[in-house]
Every structure is written in C-alpha cells, then in structure tokens.
C-alpha cells in the first residue's frame, strides 16, 4: 500500500533519460538521497522514472532536476497523461533508433564478411585502410553515446554499462589502429570486433525500448480511454430528450467541472465519472473493471469515465473529473505498482553498486594474466575486451521491474489492481484466504425478511417499522438501507429522531420525536452485543427460527426515558442476504490451488455454518465483533506450534480495514469503501470473488518470472565472465550475447501478457 503523502512533504515524479543498467539506477538514487530534504527516492529502470518525496521548503523541483543532470542523466517533470506516449514517438535517428542500428550493420557487414566466407573456402578480406574507413564512423559517431555517458559516469565517481562498452570497444579499435600503423597486415586487425559490439549493443537497446513499450501497454490502453473533449450542455436544455449541436459546447476535458451536464452519444466514451440523468442503454466497462459483458444503465445509474456508451444518447451529470476520477486513480495505482521495488530488488541494487568497478578489475587481471601466460598483447587485450562487454548489467537491472510491469499491467486489464509489489513476493506462500461474508461472498444488499414484536399488543408492526427505519435515516450501512427500502416499499414514512449516535460494533441509538416510543431512547443492535443483558435468553428464543434460516438478526431495544430506565426488547428484526452466484466457484478455485478457506461473520454460528456449508468454506468464525477480525487474522497467521501460515484477507467494509492491513495480502472489493481499498495491497475492480484466485494466480506467475529473470541474469554473468576471460568468447560473440541477454529477460517477462483468468 502506498501511504498518503504527508502534509509537510512534496512529491515529484521525474522522467529520467540515459539510464542503461542497474548501476545507473543505483547512481541516480544515491545522488537523490544526498539532496537536502529528500525523505525517500526510488528509481525504476524499466519505466525510466524517479519518484521523490521531499520535505516542504527544502529543495525545489528545479534543484532536483539540476542535480540529476549534473550526475550525467536527462531529467524532466513527468506528465501524468503524456509520459508513456512521448516515449513511443522517439525520432527514427534517436540514440536507440532503428536507423542507427541498420546503418551500423551496413557498415559492419563488409568487416564481418571475410569471417563468414572462410568456412566456405573463400579467403578474401578488405585492406586495413578500408577497414579503418568503415569502422571509424561506427566507433566515433554511432558509438559516441557510449563515450559521452561513460565519461559522465566516470566524472560522477561511478561506472555503468556505457563505460564498459566504451573501454572495451576503444581497446579493440585502438589495438587494431596500432597494428595497422606499425605492421599494415589486415589479417591481424580486430576492427570487426569493436564495430559489431557497438552494433549489437545498439540493437539490444532498440529491442529493449520496443519491449519496454509493450510492458507499459496496460497504462497506455487506459490513457487512451480519455476523450479529448466533452459535449457540455447549456443549462436550459439539460433535461431535454434530444439535442442539436448548438445546444452544447465541445470543451477540453480539463475545463469540465463537477455539476456540468455532459451529452454522450452512442459509440462515444464517457469523459467523466457521474450519474445518468437522461437516457438509458448498455455501457462497456471492460477495460476498467475486466467485466466482459456491457452493463445496463438507467437514469440515476453511476457511470465511470472512460467506459464506452453502447446505444442511446446519455446525459451524465459530472461528479468527479480529472485526478479525482476512477480512471485517473486506476492509472495512478498501476503506475505506482510498476515503479515500486520488490524487496528482492534490494539485492540487485547492492550487487550493481559494486558491479562495474569489479568487472573493470577482473578485465585488468584478465589482461595481465593472459599477457604473462600467452605472451601476446593482442590476445590479452581482446580477452579483457570480451570480459568488459559480456558483463554489462542490463539484464540484471531489467529482471525485476520488467516482470512487475508486465504482471501488474495484464492484471489491471482484467480488473485486478496490484498496488504493492510486496504482494507478489507473498502470494506464492499463501495457504489461507479469509473472507468477510457480507458484500464479499454475498451480494451485500440484504432485505428485511422478518419483524417479530415482543408482546406489544397495542403497537402495530408498521409503527415499529417506521420507528426502526427512523433510527437509520442517513446511515449508509447495508442493513439500514434494507430497513429504509422496506418502509418505502410499504409506503410507511420513517419517524424522525434526535440525538442519533452510532455505536461501533453494536448498532445505533436515537430518540424518536413521534410515534408510540416518542421521547424514549431506542437502540437497534446486533444480538451478539447483548451479551450480559438479562433479556438475552428471551431474545435468543424469539429469534431461533430466524437463526435456523441463516438470517442476520438485530433487536430493537427500549432503554427508557428520563423518568423510567428500561432495558426491554421491542422487536426482532431479521435480514437475509443472497450469496453471489459465483461464490462457490471462487471457493472451489482456491481449493484447486491448495488454499484453505475461512469465513468471518457477525452472524450466529448456525447461520454462518449454513452459508459456509453451501459454498464449501473450510472454517467459520461466527458472532465476531468487527474489531476482532484483525485478531483472528493474527491467530490464523501464527498457526499451530512453530508453523507460520500466510493469510490473505478479502473484504469490502470500513470494519475490514484493520484485518486487511494485518493480513499478509489484503484484497479489497472496489464495490466497497475507500478505506478498505487503501488498506489493501490488491483491489478487485468488480465485486467478483473469483478474482481472488485469479489475483493469486497472476501474482504467483509474476513472482516466478522475477525469479527466472534474476536466475538467468546472474547465471549469464557467472558463466559468461569466466568464459570470456579464458578466451572461449570473442569480443564479437560477447557483444551479441550481452544484447541477447537483455532481450531474453524482457521477452520472458512479456510472456505474462498471455495470461488470462482461469474463471473467465
């Protein structure tokens, strides 16, 4: 979970240009950490972004940008809606452009051709001077970027991939030039080695750029959902049935304000979050929620900005625009997840901090050892060059962020927002999933099923309903809405109350201003909160039939008035809530993953067991107070003896927030409260419990890709450096292998894009 920004801090996001490997990331982070007032700084190679939190009044954005530029990298403030699209529009002749790669290979082909013809028995080669003519533009023009970036890193007291390439290719080019000037023999020259290294590195960087764009596809797809303009209706025609172009204005989206009425024609995207006031039809919300079927919308239905209007013109009153919209928040959550670091990345950062100096030292030792053992300066230099080239830590730096970007991106496409990379590291360990019942496994819209008075002969049932409904006026609790809906359906006016007071974990208390209980303090509370009350046996006996049917039972109590202190029950009020149609399949999917399921409920044990048995829940905790949910999660985690269990909590209400935060992995339904979503590491964009197993599945697969990438990145250098030092890899092969390693890591991460939910 990303904490809210403290009020005494400022938060900046920068686009960083020129980073090539994990060492660059480490160097930028170290530079940012030294800035006065910086509280936290995080740099991501795959997104090429830095996120910085600064104590207000210390360092400005201009100061931060200037320091990053002084370190040797480009820096600019990130545009929230333009960053990724700008990256896809690089010049054809840019540093990582395809044209530079093609030009380099065109110049290098005649240099490499003699090596390719030799196995065919054709012995031909260019003269040494022609080799110099072809190799020099590659070395000094196409390869100038390596000299420039390498020099800046050297001046900053650190090394990076560019420095390794610059030193390695310069050694091969310089040795060839020396031999040409002293001996003039073409067969002793190594211009093709330096040229092909530069070409392969440029090809690798171009492939990396292409692959990075694909890992960011999820955010770009979301960004494209924003229309540029909105049709804002004139005030006097807002409720008309049809509209002409002179009755609305096309305004840029950033000029639309809450309260504006927007006309959305068939086939157009809805530009704002709001409520339909005229029209009806089906709206496609698939890219936002993962819901494959269009959703029927009527007047007063809420719509999400970015969703697609199917048929029929709609008039939508704007409620949330810009950064307050659901779409904007989704993009922010996905971006935050993609730029945060998993804790395993700390190991990579520690290695990369000493990697380049270590490689240079190994290359020097290789050169000296080979020169002493073989007594050949040229072979010693070439083997040192191979070490420098193959050891570039690009793959190491991309291994984790590329997998996180691809995994969180594809998850977001199917309505699963993974906000915290820590989730990815814990998901594969999960062995218990705990569900809150109401709103998670059930629809969350209970209905009033039973009202049983306690011997109130002179008081009619409709008067009790009017009184109970009056206590709930203004409440957003599902049971409160059920009472108010029941009164409305029976055309019973709720009696107003005074001194209304919510009692967390108990119920609500107020004094009716009219009716048979006027002036009395009444309390509508759960049965479990009656513990210790002498009327509890009577209440339990009266409510037993409701319990047996799995209903949720409340009791309306009369606490008396200023003259008489009473504590007597007025009526049993029981509610029923339907299970979601896919609740059982959600539990079955978790069982298929070998995960034990638990249900937490405030209902009595028999009612809770009835629900759990129908969908196959393994264990039930019933009659629990909301505040006890976090304690139960902690108990589940401790397990039996010394065995620790990893627990996920799935909920949607305010009272679930402590349990969501306590769990190893918290999953909140977006149909619930904002508090629950802020406390959870995963948000499920539609109230579908089958997404729980899907979220665990994509988290496991993403974590698996991270481990695979890191293994191959470490293994590549562990095997490649000794092979290069011993002469088994020529500089040309080393350059090809280095470029291929980065491409393989990114390609492996991109395999996650093929993931689909099993339950869809």
């Amino acid at each position: 979970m990303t904490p809210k920004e403290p009020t005494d801090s400022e938060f900046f996001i920068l686009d960083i240009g020129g980073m090539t490997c994990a060492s660059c990331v480490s160097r930028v982070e170290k530079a940012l950490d030294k800035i006065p007032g910086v509280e936290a700084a995080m740099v991501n190679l795959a997104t090429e972004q830095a996120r910085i939190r600064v104590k207000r009044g210390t360092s400005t954005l201009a100061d931060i940008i200037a320091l990053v530029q002084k370190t040797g990298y480009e820096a600019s403030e990130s545009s929230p809606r333009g960053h990724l699209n700008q990256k896809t529009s690089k010049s054809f002749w840019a540093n990582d452009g395809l044209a530079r790669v093609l030009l380099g290979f065109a110049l290098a082909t005649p240099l490499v051709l003699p090596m390719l013809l030799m196995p065919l028995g054709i012995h031909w080669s260019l003269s040494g001077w022609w080799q110099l003519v072809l190799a020099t533009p590659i070395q000094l023009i196409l390869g100038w970027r390596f000299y420039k970036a390498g020099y800046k890193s050297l001046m900053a007291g650190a090394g990076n991939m560019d420095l390794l390439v610059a030193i390695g290719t310069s050694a091969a080019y310089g040795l060839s030039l020396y031999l040409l000037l002293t001996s003039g023999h073409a067969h002793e020259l190594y211009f093709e080695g330096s040229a092909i290294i530069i070409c392969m590195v440029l090809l690798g960087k171009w492939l990396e750029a292409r692959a990075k764009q694909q890992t960011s596809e999820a955010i770009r797809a979301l960004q494209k959902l924003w229309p540029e303009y909105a049709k804002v209706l004139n005030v006097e025609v807002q409720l008309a049935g049809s509209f002409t172009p002179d009755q609305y204005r096309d305004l840029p989206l950033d000029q639309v304000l809450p309260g504006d009425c927007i006309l959305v024609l068939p086939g157009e995207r809805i530009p704002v979050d709001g409520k339909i006031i005229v029209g009806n039809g089906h709206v496609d919300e698939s890219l936002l929620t993962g819901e494959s079927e269009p959703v029927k919308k009527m007047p007063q239905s809420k719509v999400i900005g970015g969703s697609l209007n199917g048929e029929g013109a709609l008039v939508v009153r704007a409620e949330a625009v810009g950064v307050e919209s659901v779409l904007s928040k989704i993009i922010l959550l996905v971006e935050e997840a993609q730029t945060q670091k998993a804790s395993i990345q700390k190991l990579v950062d520690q290695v990369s901090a000493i990697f380049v100096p270590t490689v240079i030292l190994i290359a020097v030792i290789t050169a000296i050892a080979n020169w002493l053992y073989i007594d050949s300066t040229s072979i010693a230099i070439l083997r040192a060059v191979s070490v420098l080239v193959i050891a570039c830590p690009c793959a190491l730096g991309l291994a984790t962020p590329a997998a996180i970007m691809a995994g969180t991106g594809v998850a977001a496409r199917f309505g699963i927002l993974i906000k915290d990379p820590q989730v990815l590291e814990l998901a594969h360990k999960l062995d218990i999933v705990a569900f809150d019942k109401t709103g998670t496994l059930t629809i969350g819209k209970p209905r009033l099923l039973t009202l049983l008075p306690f011997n109130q002969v002179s008081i009619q049932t409709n008067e009790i309903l009017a009184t109970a409904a009056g206590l709930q006026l203004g409440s957003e609790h599902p049971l409160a809405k059920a009472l108010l809906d029941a009164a409305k359906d029976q055309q019973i006016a709720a009696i107003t109350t005074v001194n209304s007071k919510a009692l967390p974990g108990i119920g609500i208390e107020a004094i009716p201003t009219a009716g048979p209980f006027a002036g009395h303090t009444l309390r509508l509370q759960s049965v479990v909160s009656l513990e210790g009350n002498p009327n509890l046996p009577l209440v339990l006996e009266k409510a037993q039939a409701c319990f047996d049917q799995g209903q949720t039972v409340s009791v309306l109590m009369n606490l008396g008035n200023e003259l008489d202190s009473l504590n007597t029950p007025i009526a049993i009020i029981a509610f029923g809530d339907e299970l979601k149609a896919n609740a059982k399949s959600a539990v079955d999917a978790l069982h298929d993953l070998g995960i034990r399921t638990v249900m937490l409920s405030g209902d009595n044990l028999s009612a809770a067991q009835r629900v759990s048995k129908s969908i196959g829940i393994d264990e039930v905790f019933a009659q629990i107070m909301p505040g006890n949910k976090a304690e139960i999660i902690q108990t589940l985690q401790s397990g039996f003896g010394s065995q620790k269990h990893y627990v996920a909590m799935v909920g949607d209400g305010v009272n679930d927030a402590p349990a969501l935060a306590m769990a190893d992995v918290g999953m909140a339904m977006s149909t619930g409260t904002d508090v629950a979503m802020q406390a959870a590491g995963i948000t499920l964009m539609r109230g579908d419990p089958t997404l729980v197993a899907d979220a665990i599945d994509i988290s496991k697969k993403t974590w698996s890709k991270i481990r695979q990438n890191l293994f191959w990145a470490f293994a590549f250098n562990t095997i490649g450096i000794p092979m290069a030092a011993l002469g088994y890899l020529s500089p040309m092969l080393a350059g090809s292998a280095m470029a291929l390693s980065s491409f393989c890591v990114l390609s492996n991460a991109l395999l996650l894009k093929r993931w689909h939910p099993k339950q869809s």
Side-chain angles (χ1 to χ4, degrees):
M1 180 185 67
T2 303
K4 289 186 176 180
E5 180 186 336
T7 55
D8 61 344
S9 298
E10 294 180 282
F11 187 74
F12 303 114
I13 301 176
L14 300 183
D15 294 335
I16 308 294
M19 294 192 301
T20 55
C21 63
S23 297
C24 298
V25 172
S26 177
R27 189 147 58 88
V28 175
E29 284 186 342
K30 285 182 179 178
L32 291 172
D33 286 337
K34 293 178 182 178
I35 298 176
V38 168
E39 298 173 334
M42 186 165 51
V43 181
N44 187 289
L45 178 61
T47 60
E48 297 180 1
Q49 281 190 326
R51 306 173 78 86
I52 308 112
R53 191 174 72 241
V54 187
K55 188 174 182 180
R56 195 178 299 277
T58 53
S59 297
T60 65
L61 178 61
D63 295 334
I64 297 170
I65 290 175
L67 185 115
V68 173
Q69 291 173 339
K70 185 178 178 182
T71 308
Y73 299 92
E74 301 169 10
S76 60
E77 186 175 10
S78 179
S79 167
R81 289 173 60 178
H83 169 68
L84 289 167
N85 292 327
Q86 289 168 2
K87 287 192 173 188
T88 62
S89 60
K90 286 187 175 182
S91 165
F92 193 61
W93 286 95
N95 282 345
D96 299 326
L98 179 59
R100 296 174 66 89
V101 176
L102 295 177
L103 176 61
F105 277 105
L107 293 172
T109 298
L111 299 174
V112 181
L113 197 57
M115 297 175 58
L116 302 177
L117 294 176
M118 195 175 296
L120 302 176
I122 302 173
H123 299 279
W124 168 85
S125 66
L126 287 171
S127 71
W129 296 105
W130 272 110
Q131 291 185 44
L132 177 64
V133 169
L134 292 172
T136 299
I138 299 176
Q139 186 70 38
L140 301 181
I141 298 176
L142 298 182
W144 180 249
R145 55 163 290 170
F146 302 114
Y147 288 105
K148 181 180 177 182
Y151 173 77
K152 287 181 177 179
S153 72
L154 197 60
M155 290 299 98
N160 62 1
M161 186 203 84
D162 297 302
L163 181 62
L164 296 180
V165 173
I167 293 174
T169 57
S170 295
Y173 179 86
L175 174 63
S176 301
L177 182 60
Y178 171 77
L179 293 173
L180 176 63
L181 295 175
T182 56
S183 68
H185 296 300
H187 65 275
E188 294 180 355
L189 305 180
Y190 306 99
F191 285 119
E192 80 283 349
S194 62
I196 206 67
I197 287 170
I198 290 174
C199 292
M200 290 305 299
V201 174
L202 290 177
L203 175 62
K205 297 307 294 179
W206 179 74
L207 292 173
E208 276 181 29
R210 290 286 301 271
K212 284 179 185 177
Q213 289 173 14
Q214 292 184 54
T215 60
S216 304
E217 257 184 15
I219 293 181
R220 287 201 305 276
L222 289 171
Q223 288 175 332
K224 290 177 183 176
L225 299 183
W226 263 309
E228 294 185 14
Y229 294 91
K231 295 180 174 65
V232 180
L233 290 168
N234 301 328
V235 176
E236 62 273 11
V237 298
Q238 287 177 2
L239 297 179
S242 59
F243 308 92
T244 58
D246 62 333
Q247 294 175 320
Y248 61 80
R249 296 169 294 156
D250 282 320
L251 289 181
L253 200 56
D254 55 5
Q255 294 183 20
V256 177
L257 300 174
D260 284 341
C261 289
I262 314 297
L263 173 63
V264 186
L265 299 177
E268 291 184 339
R269 292 208 173 271
I270 299 170
V272 296
D273 292 1
K275 187 179 291 184
I276 296 175
I277 57 175
V278 175
N280 59 74
H282 288 82
V283 173
D284 182 357
E285 300 176 343
S286 57
L287 275 176
L288 292 165
T289 66
E291 177 61 61
S292 58
E293 296 295 326
V295 181
K296 177 70 175 176
K297 299 290 183 180
M298 307 288 289
Q300 301 306 309
S301 295
K302 290 192 174 184
V303 290
I304 306 173
S307 51
L308 183 65
N309 181 23
E311 78 286 345
L314 303 176
V315 177
V316 177
R317 191 183 302 279
E319 294 181 346
V321 298
V323 295
E324 296 300 319
S325 66
V326 170
L327 177 57
S328 181
K329 290 176 179 177
I330 290 174
I331 292 176
L332 179 61
L333 287 173
V334 176
E335 284 183 333
E336 284 182 346
Q338 293 186 342
T339 52
Q340 288 185 55
K341 290 185 179 179
S343 60
I344 195 172
Q345 183 69 18
K346 294 175 183 177
L347 172 63
V348 177
D349 293 343
Q350 291 170 359
V351 171
S352 64
I354 60 172
F355 191 85
V356 173
T358 303
V359 169
I360 293 175
L361 179 61
I362 293 173
V364 171
I365 294 173
T366 298
I368 295 172
N370 278 277
W371 178 66
L372 293 174
Y373 183 73
I374 302 175
D375 194 22
S376 171
T377 303
S378 60
I379 293 178
I381 291 176
L382 289 176
R383 290 185 179 181
V385 168
S386 297
V387 170
L388 289 170
V389 172
I390 201 167
C392 293
C394 307
L396 200 59
L398 290 168
T400 300
I404 289 176
M405 288 182 69
T408 56
V410 72
R413 202 170 79 219
F414 290 102
I416 302 166
L417 296 187
I418 301 174
K419 301 184 290 180
D420 186 357
Q422 181 81 4
V423 167
L424 303 175
E425 299 184 47
L426 294 173
H428 69 286
K429 300 179 181 179
L430 288 176
D431 53 1
I432 298 175
V433 170
F435 288 94
D436 170 57
K437 180 176 77 73
T438 304
T440 304
L441 293 172
T442 64
I443 293 174
K445 293 183 179 179
R447 296 178 295 113
L448 176 64
L449 299 180
T450 307
L451 198 157
L452 300 174
F454 277 88
N455 302 320
Q456 305 286 343
V457 179
S458 60
I459 302 175
Q460 296 182 6
T461 303
N462 61 351
E463 291 178 311
I464 296 176
L465 178 57
T467 302
L471 264 66
Q472 300 286 18
L473 284 172
S475 174
E476 294 296 318
H477 193 280
L479 296 184
K481 290 183 177 180
L483 261 177
L484 292 168
D485 288 344
K488 184 178 179 181
D489 291 343
Q490 297 181 38
Q491 297 182 340
I492 296 173
I495 296 172
T496 58
T497 61
V498 295
N499 297 339
S500 181
K501 183 166 56 175
L503 305 172
I506 299 175
I508 193 165
E509 189 176 284
I511 300 174
T513 58
F517 304 103
H520 285 240
T521 300
L522 303 186
R523 179 185 291 171
L524 185 60
Q525 63 188 106
S526 62
V527 173
V528 69
S529 65
L530 279 175
E531 187 175 352
N533 190 303
N535 292 295
L536 181 58
L538 179 63
V539 170
L540 292 176
E541 181 183 355
K542 187 84 170 177
Q544 189 59 50
C546 300
F547 289 142
D548 292 341
Q549 295 176 35
Q551 298 175 9
T552 299
V553 178
S554 296
V555 57
L556 182 63
M557 299 289 296
N558 185 353
L559 305 185
N561 54 26
E562 295 179 353
L563 300 177
D564 296 313
S565 179
L566 304 174
N567 192 7
T568 57
I570 298 173
I572 292 291
I573 302 176
F575 305 87
D577 188 8
E578 293 180 58
L579 279 167
K580 291 180 178 177
N582 47 16
K584 187 177 188 312
S585 59
V587 173
D588 291 342
L590 290 171
H591 287 160
D592 290 342
L593 293 173
I595 295 175
R596 188 160 63 99
T597 54
V598 173
M599 188 178 78
L600 311 182
S601 175
D603 293 345
N604 68 87
L605 183 59
S606 61
Q609 285 179 335
R610 181 170 180 162
V611 171
S612 67
K613 187 176 180 180
S614 66
I615 59 176
I617 292 284
D618 297 312
E619 186 176 0
V620 174
F621 290 86
Q623 291 181 279
I624 58 172
M625 301 292 285
N628 295 336
K629 290 182 180 179
E631 296 176 11
I632 292 172
I633 296 297
Q634 197 170 20
T635 301
L636 291 170
Q637 288 170 326
S638 61
F640 302 99
S642 59
Q643 183 184 2
K644 173 176 169 52
H645 290 288
Y646 290 87
V647 181
M649 171 67 191
V650 188
D652 70 331
V654 173
N655 56 21
D656 295 324
L660 289 167
M662 175 63 67
D664 297 289
V665 176
M667 300 188 195
M669 299 284 188
S670 68
T671 50
T673 63
D674 289 342
V675 175
M677 286 185 277
Q678 289 171 5
I682 295 178
T683 297
L684 308 177
M685 288 306 296
R686 59 184 194 273
D688 183 350
T690 60
L691 287 178
V692 174
D694 292 331
I696 294 173
D697 185 53
I698 184 58
S699 297
K700 284 184 174 183
K701 284 182 167 55
T702 303
W703 177 245
S704 177
K705 289 298 180 188
I706 291 173
R707 289 187 299 176
Q708 290 171 19
N709 283 351
L710 287 175
F711 171 79
W712 287 114
F714 277 112
F716 173 82
N717 284 305
T718 303
I719 297 170
I721 292 176
M723 288 183 66
L726 295 172
Y728 292 106
L729 290 176
S730 68
M732 186 168 64
L733 287 176
S736 303
M738 185 273 291
L740 185 62
S741 68
S742 298
F743 181 66
C744 287
V745 162
L746 285 163
S747 299
N748 188 44
L750 287 173
L751 291 176
L752 287 167
K753 292 177 63 179
R754 298 160 59 183
W755 178 84
H756 279 79
K758 293 180 180 179
Q759 304 301 314
S760 62

